Amino acid sequence: MNKKSSESFKIIFKNLDFFKLANDGLLSLHEDYDPDGFFVYSYEKAKTPGKFTKTLLDSAEGIVKNFSGETDGYKIKNGVCFKARGDSIEYFSFKKGISYVACTETPRRIDIQDRIKINNNL
């Protein structure tokens, strides 16, 4: 957490121990304006992305392609940014011991009905 962190982030960060109640995992649903494809920031207690991450990627299959490229300083490959370190609730939740954590990024530029379908498929 740094001085530029939002107030909501600061509140969540102060209550991060509450997130340990997320026994099955923690999932944040986001939309991203820049990329033209779907991607996830995922965290699993494994060396490489596993079934958890694959299942999330499958939610957008047939609707929009997976994004590859760079956004906000993170490299995304085939729709995945795995175990990104940084100033995010997801990273801190994983470090606090939640086994499965992810943040999905649905492209805001696609039709709202497609965005709903992707998130409904999760």
Side-chain angles (χ1 to χ4, degrees), residues 39-52:
F39 68 98
V40 299
Y41 296 98
S42 70
Y43 302 83
E44 301 180 52
K45 291 184 177 182
K47 291 183 180 183
T48 59
K51 185 176 179 180
F52 172 70

PDB file of all heavy atoms in Angstrom, residues 39-52:
ATOM      1  N   PHE A  39      -8.789 -11.171 -19.798  1.00  0.00           N
ATOM      2  CA  PHE A  39      -7.636 -11.727 -19.112  1.00  0.00           C
ATOM      3  C   PHE A  39      -7.887 -11.789 -17.617  1.00  0.00           C
ATOM      4  O   PHE A  39      -8.836 -11.194 -17.107  1.00  0.00           O
ATOM      5  CB  PHE A  39      -6.343 -10.963 -19.431  1.00  0.00           C
ATOM      6  CG  PHE A  39      -6.258  -9.562 -18.909  1.00  0.00           C
ATOM      7  CD1 PHE A  39      -5.585  -9.284 -17.731  1.00  0.00           C
ATOM      8  CD2 PHE A  39      -6.823  -8.509 -19.601  1.00  0.00           C
ATOM      9  CE1 PHE A  39      -5.473  -7.989 -17.257  1.00  0.00           C
ATOM     10  CE2 PHE A  39      -6.725  -7.204 -19.143  1.00  0.00           C
ATOM     11  CZ  PHE A  39      -6.048  -6.946 -17.967  1.00  0.00           C
ATOM     12  N   VAL A  40      -7.032 -12.550 -16.942  1.00  0.00           N
ATOM     13  CA  VAL A  40      -7.142 -12.702 -15.492  1.00  0.00           C
ATOM     14  C   VAL A  40      -5.780 -12.530 -14.831  1.00  0.00           C
ATOM     15  O   VAL A  40      -4.753 -12.908 -15.394  1.00  0.00           O
ATOM     16  CB  VAL A  40      -7.733 -14.076 -15.079  1.00  0.00           C
ATOM     17  CG1 VAL A  40      -9.121 -14.259 -15.624  1.00  0.00           C
ATOM     18  CG2 VAL A  40      -6.842 -15.225 -15.502  1.00  0.00           C
ATOM     19  N   TYR A  41      -5.815 -11.927 -13.675  1.00  0.00           N
ATOM     20  CA  TYR A  41      -4.682 -11.969 -12.762  1.00  0.00           C
ATOM     21  C   TYR A  41      -5.014 -13.132 -11.849  1.00  0.00           C
ATOM     22  O   TYR A  41      -6.035 -13.108 -11.161  1.00  0.00           O
ATOM     23  CB  TYR A  41      -4.587 -10.691 -11.925  1.00  0.00           C
ATOM     24  CG  TYR A  41      -4.313  -9.439 -12.722  1.00  0.00           C
ATOM     25  CD1 TYR A  41      -5.337  -8.582 -13.092  1.00  0.00           C
ATOM     26  CD2 TYR A  41      -3.009  -9.099 -13.091  1.00  0.00           C
ATOM     27  CE1 TYR A  41      -5.096  -7.417 -13.800  1.00  0.00           C
ATOM     28  CE2 TYR A  41      -2.749  -7.938 -13.802  1.00  0.00           C
ATOM     29  CZ  TYR A  41      -3.796  -7.097 -14.153  1.00  0.00           C
ATOM     30  OH  TYR A  41      -3.533  -5.953 -14.860  1.00  0.00           O
ATOM     31  N   SER A  42      -4.214 -14.179 -11.858  1.00  0.00           N
ATOM     32  CA  SER A  42      -4.561 -15.344 -11.044  1.00  0.00           C
ATOM     33  C   SER A  42      -3.419 -15.738 -10.115  1.00  0.00           C
ATOM     34  O   SER A  42      -2.243 -15.516 -10.406  1.00  0.00           O
ATOM     35  CB  SER A  42      -4.967 -16.531 -11.915  1.00  0.00           C
ATOM     36  OG  SER A  42      -3.866 -17.044 -12.608  1.00  0.00           O
ATOM     37  N   TYR A  43      -3.849 -16.326  -9.009  1.00  0.00           N
ATOM     38  CA  TYR A  43      -2.920 -16.778  -7.974  1.00  0.00           C
ATOM     39  C   TYR A  43      -3.368 -18.152  -7.517  1.00  0.00           C
ATOM     40  O   TYR A  43      -4.523 -18.335  -7.130  1.00  0.00           O
ATOM     41  CB  TYR A  43      -2.936 -15.816  -6.776  1.00  0.00           C
ATOM     42  CG  TYR A  43      -2.597 -14.393  -7.143  1.00  0.00           C
ATOM     43  CD1 TYR A  43      -3.568 -13.533  -7.653  1.00  0.00           C
ATOM     44  CD2 TYR A  43      -1.306 -13.924  -6.995  1.00  0.00           C
ATOM     45  CE1 TYR A  43      -3.266 -12.232  -8.000  1.00  0.00           C
ATOM     46  CE2 TYR A  43      -0.977 -12.618  -7.346  1.00  0.00           C
ATOM     47  CZ  TYR A  43      -1.966 -11.775  -7.844  1.00  0.00           C
ATOM     48  OH  TYR A  43      -1.649 -10.490  -8.200  1.00  0.00           O
ATOM     49  N   GLU A  44      -2.473 -19.102  -7.604  1.00  0.00           N
ATOM     50  CA  GLU A  44      -2.716 -20.460  -7.129  1.00  0.00           C
ATOM     51  C   GLU A  44      -1.435 -20.936  -6.462  1.00  0.00           C
ATOM     52  O   GLU A  44      -0.347 -20.489  -6.823  1.00  0.00           O
ATOM     53  CB  GLU A  44      -3.015 -21.414  -8.290  1.00  0.00           C
ATOM     54  CG  GLU A  44      -4.209 -21.064  -9.133  1.00  0.00           C
ATOM     55  CD  GLU A  44      -4.407 -22.075 -10.258  1.00  0.00           C
ATOM     56  OE1 GLU A  44      -4.440 -23.290  -9.976  1.00  0.00           O
ATOM     57  OE2 GLU A  44      -4.517 -21.642 -11.416  1.00  0.00           O
ATOM     58  N   LYS A  45      -1.567 -21.869  -5.544  1.00  0.00           N
ATOM     59  CA  LYS A  45      -0.378 -22.440  -4.905  1.00  0.00           C
ATOM     60  C   LYS A  45       0.193 -23.529  -5.807  1.00  0.00           C
ATOM     61  O   LYS A  45       0.136 -24.706  -5.503  1.00  0.00           O
ATOM     62  CB  LYS A  45      -0.730 -22.966  -3.522  1.00  0.00           C
ATOM     63  CG  LYS A  45      -1.065 -21.850  -2.559  1.00  0.00           C
ATOM     64  CD  LYS A  45      -1.307 -22.352  -1.173  1.00  0.00           C
ATOM     65  CE  LYS A  45      -1.568 -21.162  -0.258  1.00  0.00           C
ATOM     66  NZ  LYS A  45      -1.769 -21.560   1.122  1.00  0.00           N
ATOM     67  N   ALA A  46       0.700 -23.098  -6.934  1.00  0.00           N
ATOM     68  CA  ALA A  46       1.305 -23.981  -7.925  1.00  0.00           C
ATOM     69  C   ALA A  46       2.360 -23.174  -8.669  1.00  0.00           C
ATOM     70  O   ALA A  46       2.378 -21.942  -8.589  1.00  0.00           O
ATOM     71  CB  ALA A  46       0.247 -24.494  -8.896  1.00  0.00           C
ATOM     72  N   LYS A  47       3.217 -23.858  -9.399  1.00  0.00           N
ATOM     73  CA  LYS A  47       4.266 -23.163 -10.147  1.00  0.00           C
ATOM     74  C   LYS A  47       3.751 -22.549 -11.438  1.00  0.00           C
ATOM     75  O   LYS A  47       4.323 -21.590 -11.950  1.00  0.00           O
ATOM     76  CB  LYS A  47       5.424 -24.112 -10.439  1.00  0.00           C
ATOM     77  CG  LYS A  47       6.187 -24.492  -9.193  1.00  0.00           C
ATOM     78  CD  LYS A  47       7.380 -25.370  -9.521  1.00  0.00           C
ATOM     79  CE  LYS A  47       8.106 -25.715  -8.230  1.00  0.00           C
ATOM     80  NZ  LYS A  47       9.304 -26.509  -8.464  1.00  0.00           N
ATOM     81  N   THR A  48       2.703 -23.143 -11.985  1.00  0.00           N
ATOM     82  CA  THR A  48       2.128 -22.649 -13.229  1.00  0.00           C
ATOM     83  C   THR A  48       0.609 -22.585 -13.076  1.00  0.00           C
ATOM     84  O   THR A  48       0.040 -23.267 -12.223  1.00  0.00           O
ATOM     85  CB  THR A  48       2.486 -23.567 -14.418  1.00  0.00           C
ATOM     86  OG1 THR A  48       1.997 -24.885 -14.143  1.00  0.00           O
ATOM     87  CG2 THR A  48       3.988 -23.611 -14.647  1.00  0.00           C
ATOM     88  N   PRO A  49      -0.068 -21.795 -13.912  1.00  0.00           N
ATOM     89  CA  PRO A  49      -1.530 -21.723 -13.823  1.00  0.00           C
ATOM     90  C   PRO A  49      -2.158 -23.104 -14.000  1.00  0.00           C
ATOM     91  O   PRO A  49      -1.783 -23.857 -14.893  1.00  0.00           O
ATOM     92  CB  PRO A  49      -1.905 -20.797 -14.973  1.00  0.00           C
ATOM     93  CG  PRO A  49      -0.676 -20.005 -15.262  1.00  0.00           C
ATOM     94  CD  PRO A  49       0.467 -20.920 -14.948  1.00  0.00           C
ATOM     95  N   GLY A  50      -3.123 -23.417 -13.154  1.00  0.00           N
ATOM     96  CA  GLY A  50      -3.776 -24.717 -13.185  1.00  0.00           C
ATOM     97  C   GLY A  50      -5.241 -24.647 -13.573  1.00  0.00           C
ATOM     98  O   GLY A  50      -5.682 -23.731 -14.277  1.00  0.00           O
ATOM     99  N   LYS A  51      -5.996 -25.612 -13.098  1.00  0.00           N
ATOM    100  CA  LYS A  51      -7.410 -25.755 -13.442  1.00  0.00           C
ATOM    101  C   LYS A  51      -8.226 -24.520 -13.061  1.00  0.00           C
ATOM    102  O   LYS A  51      -9.119 -24.112 -13.800  1.00  0.00           O
ATOM    103  CB  LYS A  51      -7.978 -26.995 -12.752  1.00  0.00           C
ATOM    104  CG  LYS A  51      -9.397 -27.306 -13.141  1.00  0.00           C
ATOM    105  CD  LYS A  51      -9.882 -28.587 -12.501  1.00  0.00           C
ATOM    106  CE  LYS A  51     -11.326 -28.847 -12.911  1.00  0.00           C
ATOM    107  NZ  LYS A  51     -11.836 -30.079 -12.306  1.00  0.00           N
ATOM    108  N   PHE A  52      -7.919 -23.930 -11.931  1.00  0.00           N
ATOM    109  CA  PHE A  52      -8.626 -22.724 -11.491  1.00  0.00           C
ATOM    110  C   PHE A  52      -8.539 -21.627 -12.546  1.00  0.00           C
ATOM    111  O   PHE A  52      -9.543 -21.080 -12.993  1.00  0.00           O
ATOM    112  CB  PHE A  52      -8.031 -22.243 -10.160  1.00  0.00           C
ATOM    113  CG  PHE A  52      -8.513 -20.916  -9.683  1.00  0.00           C
ATOM    114  CD1 PHE A  52      -9.818 -20.760  -9.233  1.00  0.00           C
ATOM    115  CD2 PHE A  52      -7.664 -19.826  -9.650  1.00  0.00           C
ATOM    116  CE1 PHE A  52     -10.265 -19.536  -8.768  1.00  0.00           C
ATOM    117  CE2 PHE A  52      -8.097 -18.591  -9.184  1.00  0.00           C
ATOM    118  CZ  PHE A  52      -9.407 -18.444  -8.741  1.00  0.00           C
TER     119      PHE A  52
END
